[in-house]
Amino acid sequence: MDMRGTRILFFVFWFLGIYAPTLFCANVQYDHRALVIDGKRRVFISGSIHYPRSTPEIWPDLIQKSKDGGLDIIETYVFWNSHEPVRGQYNFEGRNDLVKFVKAVAAAGLYVHLRIGPYACAEWNYGGFPLWLHFIPGIQFRTDNEPFKAEMQRFTAKIVDLMKQESLYASQGGPIILSQIENEYGNIEVHYGGAGKSYVKWAATMATSLDTGVPWVMCQQADAPDPVINTCNGFYCDQFTPNSNAKPKMWTENWTGWFLSFGGSVPFRPVEDLAFSVARFFQRGGTFQNYYMYHGGTNFGRTSGGPFIATSYDYDAPIDEYGIIRQPKWGHLKDLHKAIKLCEEALIATDPTITSPGPNLEVAVYKTEAVCAAFLANVGTASDATVNFNGNSYHLPAWSVSILPDCKNVALNTAKINSASMISSFTTESLKEDIGSLEASTSEWSWISEPVGISKADSFSRVGLLEQINTTADRSDYLWYSISIDNDDTGAQTVLHIESLGHALHAFINGKLAGSHAGNSEKAKLNVDIPITLVAGTNTIDLLSVTVGLQNYGEFFDTWGAGITGPVILKGLKNGSTLDLSSQKWTYQVGLKGEELGPSSGSSGQWNTESTLPKNQPLTWYKTNFDAPSGSNPVAIDFTGMGKGEAWVNGQSIGRYWPTYVSSNAGCTDSCNYRGQYSSSKCHKNCGKPSQTLYHVPRSWLKPNGNTLVLFEERGGDPTQISFATKHIESLCAHVSESHPPPLDLWNSDTEYGRKVGPVLSLKCNDHKQVISTIKFASYGTPLGTCGNFNHGHCSSNKAMSIVQKACIGSSSCNLGVSTDTFGDPCKGVKKSLAVEVTCT
């Protein structure tokens, strides 16, 4: 073979290695303990990443960070409404390129759990169902209904066939080892009666008939028919038991945090509790656990559901919305995964023997003649405890699990974090640096005023008030309701009473905004009284009803509806009379005039640049051009100063913005105690502040210069206050005590291991091009506080700063032994720790 042939062959092998799935395995089965891959039981750590909530350009990085964090599997839903927005017309391009995403996971050497559903929930618009499905005659969603079953089977088979065509199932040598049919149906099945039960059986039979060669699961489905595996979703699943002794104990959604709603504060989940839940699951017989989410991402466009789900879907996940690892969550879970994998041979060999040596204490032992692993748990929420096990004494903090891969040495305790912490922040760049605040010149902005009321040729009239979703088919968030009335009382002061199914509305009287109202995630419906003034003669009432993501969860959620269904009443007219407008003739317009003209791309020729820029005016389109922020850090737009609307960058929607929706002052605390049962309302921050002011703009959507930003502002705002910001790591911290286990990378089964190695504080810059440049804090003794707020306790070694500086300055990483051998003993007889905060540049 000549050199040219050699080069071609090399390129072919390189291409296959990058773009083709690795040959993973040929046979996936299960038994009562675990999934069985090619005849061997496996312990699996999985994490959810939803491909449309990020961009193809960062998929490989997200997947690699997941692998580096100790994951074996990436789990994703399949989003029907993204792939088939019009019946029979498919979209598998860009963020919807499912095949490319699965192949990217394969290229990293990870497996895939494909949750076809095709109902997803996922805080996704309409639960992932396409709106055209709603209009099929005779259809009822998610029950024993022939029209629905036919469409569900057709789409499920479409996805399965697509995966088969690309040889992506494990039975074909691909990465997909599991598929899911339906989703959390057991939570609502009772509402569907016998038809629900028969639907579950049908769905299972339909799925398994598609011959994927891998197991199917149903989550939250206690009556899942064999051979489908029923799995658990929740904050804790250690008490879960599958419905057959022949099925393994699997956890498909361990919620790493919670979703953000417009009008809500920001939820978070302490990593100590998350790690506790995982360790408890494996302690009590689990062998497959998935984080929902491992990377949450962004609800671009109009994909968010709810209603009122925010554009950010960060979820307090180990990898944040912008693709940056969240510390210490990512690192502590990585250590946890290592500790669990050290136990794998014992976990797959036998069932646990579980005993309780005292109140709130539980010991689980996996032991055969060849291997032994133990989990020691203190499920108490108030007091630490001591457990005597195998002749040794072990200290257990409250609400924690210690993992002993050899039944002797503690590899990890879930409440003791060795991993570093990070403080991240956004930096606004000034206009002088090419971008930042656009306040410098209003002439940089152009605008189009959106007409109030009816302005499109496709408007129509009907007697009575129409439900919004049936009218718009979700082609737009907006539906105009318009009516004219005669009044013979000059300057009449009256009240316009409006009842709506939600989600928001703006009332205009004779072209002027009279009032705006919005529901919230707890109550979408509106019941409002708006004071208005009528003129003598004809008055026009224009009501703009707005949806903020369609319902995605609940029984019969597709029938819940939205919009102004009435009554609409004028109260307090002449002589105290009322006028019910509900059954009169109304004129309707679906969507905005601007949406029809297509200004979201910035290409419309109607942009106004000549007169004064209108500010704080409702129903206004704005456009400006900008250069991308310098560097490679993630980019966000700060919409402070704006009201509510949607934004596009170079024609791509970055989502709905709503910086004026402020959360309640109640429900937040300065710190959140990880001990005790977590719930979605337990740990919140950002109370009394806007739910979301910063909105992610993927770097891949930006050009170095000449970018176009277009906004549609609903309520009124000042676009010159908008700024662009980049996210960076401000500080890197760690706080490790003398009682912490040694680093897991150094773990071995030597009984002297702990005493030989001892705890180590490790720091590593997030960017491999950076080095530690500044030591902002260093204290060995009894330091207090958290990252960014450390302070010296009652005793501190005077050598700490110089020792840390010598070990760390100028290096990308450093390791410091946490002991008196390193720092001396500033306070004898006192338990000591080392706290350090650094910056990397």
Side-chain angles (χ1 to χ4, degrees), residues 67-232:
K67 183 177 182 178
D68 293 344
L71 298 196
D72 308 295
I73 299 171
I74 300 298
E75 183 176 288
T76 184
Y77 283 119
V78 176
F79 298 91
W80 190 355
N81 53 9
S82 292
H83 292 304
E84 196 178 8
V86 177
R87 192 179 189 279
Q89 296 180 22
Y90 295 99
N91 177 8
F92 290 97
E93 304 296 324
R95 298 198 324 275
N96 295 316
D97 194 339
L98 175 59
V99 167
K100 184 174 183 177
F101 179 76
V102 173
K103 287 184 176 181
V105 177
L110 299 183
Y111 294 115
V112 173
H113 178 198
L114 194 65
R115 308 176 78 186
I116 299 175
Y119 167 69
C121 183
E123 292 73 57
W124 191 265
N125 194 50
Y126 215 45
F129 285 147
L131 254 293
W132 54 259
L133 197 66
H134 176 72
F135 296 99
I136 291 176
I139 200 164
Q140 287 183 295
F141 288 7
R142 305 178 75 197
T143 188
D144 193 0
N145 172 267
E146 293 305 321
F148 177 75
K149 291 191 297 182
E151 293 300 322
M152 176 175 167
Q153 180 167 357
R154 182 183 60 81
F155 181 75
T156 303
K158 170 75 177 180
I159 297 300
V160 168
D161 289 345
L162 182 63
M163 298 300 104
K164 284 183 177 180
Q165 289 166 16
E166 299 289 337
S167 298
L168 294 176
Y169 280 104
S171 55
Q172 303 171 293
I176 303 173
I177 60 170
L178 280 174
S179 288
Q180 179 178 302
I181 196 70
E182 249 298 336
N183 187 66
E184 294 185 331
Y185 188 69
N187 294 353
I188 60 168
E189 182 180 340
V190 64
H191 298 281
Y192 295 84
K197 292 185 179 298
S198 56
Y199 166 66
V200 170
K201 293 177 181 177
W202 169 85
T205 301
M206 181 271 289
T208 53
S209 72
L210 296 174
D211 193 26
T212 62
V214 303
W216 287 84
V217 305
M218 283 181 163
C219 63
Q220 295 294 90
Q221 197 65 53
D223 59 350
D226 296 342
V228 175
I229 305 167
N230 66 305
T231 66
C232 184

Side-chain angles (χ1 to χ4, degrees), residues 793-815:
H794 68 268
C795 89
S796 180
S797 169
N798 56 18
K799 304 176 183 178
M801 179 60 78
S802 61
I803 291 172
V804 173
Q805 287 175 332
K806 184 177 180 180
C808 299
I809 293 290
S811 299
S812 61
S813 63
C814 58
N815 300 298

Side-chain angles (χ1 to χ4, degrees), residues 315-647:
Y315 221 89
D316 197 37
I319 303 174
D320 75 9
E321 178 181 4
Y322 297 85
I324 298 173
I325 61 173
R326 172 174 275 114
Q327 295 283 41
K329 184 168 277 190
W330 183 89
H332 190 45
L333 294 178
K334 177 181 179 178
D335 287 345
L336 173 65
H337 305 154
K338 288 180 181 178
I340 290 168
K341 286 304 181 80
L342 287 170
C343 304
E344 181 168 13
E345 290 306 312
L347 289 172
I348 63 175
T350 184
D351 294 312
T353 299
I354 299 175
T355 58
S356 178
N360 295 320
L361 300 176
E362 189 172 285
V363 173
V365 179
Y366 294 84
K367 185 176 183 180
T368 67
E369 291 183 1
V371 290
C372 185
F375 293 72
L376 315 182
N378 178 1
V379 300
T381 60
S383 302
D384 293 2
T386 299
V387 173
N388 293 311
F389 173 71
N390 274 1
N392 295 309
S393 180
Y394 299 90
H395 175 257
L396 289 177
W399 205 252
S400 77
V401 179
S402 284
I403 300 175
L404 289 63
D406 58 358
C407 287
K408 292 180 292 186
N409 295 294
V410 176
L412 178 136
N413 178 272
T414 57
K416 296 182 178 181
I417 300 174
N418 274 336
S419 173
S421 300
M422 287 180 182
I423 298 176
S424 61
S425 62
F426 283 89
T427 301
T428 300
E429 297 188 14
S430 71
L431 193 61
K432 294 177 182 178
E433 296 175 283
D434 296 330
I435 193 149
S437 172
L438 298 171
E439 190 173 0
S441 173
T442 59
S443 65
E444 295 175 351
W445 287 93
S446 55
W447 70 96
I448 299 173
S449 293
E450 176 69 26
V452 174
I454 307 304
S455 60
K456 293 169 58 180
D458 61 356
S459 63
F460 60 94
S461 297
R462 294 287 187 277
V463 172
L465 296 165
L466 300 181
E467 189 277 328
Q468 184 163 350
I469 299 170
N470 281 312
T471 308
T472 66
D474 199 38
R475 296 192 303 273
S476 170
D477 281 355
Y478 303 102
L479 178 63
W480 281 106
Y481 297 68
S482 182
I483 193 171
S484 294
I485 60 168
D486 291 326
N487 173 54
D488 59 5
D489 186 5
T490 303
Q493 304 288 317
T494 184
V495 171
L496 181 62
H497 175 81
I498 306 171
E499 294 185 27
S500 167
L501 297 177
H503 308 138
L505 68 84
H506 308 289
F508 295 83
I509 307 299
N510 299 320
K512 302 293 185 181
L513 182 64
S516 296
H517 294 269
N520 56 55
S521 60
E522 300 297 322
K523 185 181 178 183
K525 293 181 179 180
L526 297 168
N527 188 325
V528 298
D529 288 311
I530 302 172
I532 63 172
T533 301
L534 299 177
V535 299
T538 300
N539 292 263
T540 302
I541 299 173
D542 294 302
L543 306 178
L544 183 59
S545 181
V546 187
T547 53
V548 191
L550 301 190
Q551 189 71 34
N552 59 259
Y553 181 76
E555 65 277 3
F556 310 105
F557 74 85
D558 54 302
T559 67
W560 291 14
I564 302 166
T565 53
V568 175
I569 302 172
L570 281 174
K571 300 193 297 187
L573 293 170
K574 195 172 184 179
N575 300 322
S577 63
T578 62
L579 176 62
D580 191 339
L581 304 175
S582 308
S583 58
Q584 296 195 22
K585 189 175 183 179
W586 290 77
T587 302
Y588 294 89
Q589 176 182 301
V590 175
L592 307 170
K593 182 73 171 178
E595 290 175 310
E596 186 179 71
L597 297 174
S600 60
S601 65
S603 60
S604 171
Q606 299 185 17
W607 293 101
N608 186 341
T609 57
E610 299 302 319
S611 55
T612 303
L613 178 72
K615 297 180 182 179
N616 301 310
Q617 294 297 310
L619 306 185
T620 307
W621 296 84
Y622 295 103
K623 181 180 77 166
T624 193
N625 296 318
F626 66 94
D627 296 337
S630 58
S632 59
N633 288 340
V635 179
I637 297 179
D638 187 338
F639 277 97
T640 300
M642 300 302 290
K644 178 184 179 297
E646 187 175 353

Side-chain angles (χ1 to χ4, degrees), residues 263-265 662-669 684-690:
S265 53
V662 176
S663 66
S664 166
N665 285 313
C668 291
T669 56
H684 280 247
K685 57 187 176 182
N686 218 45
C687 287
K689 298 178 181 179

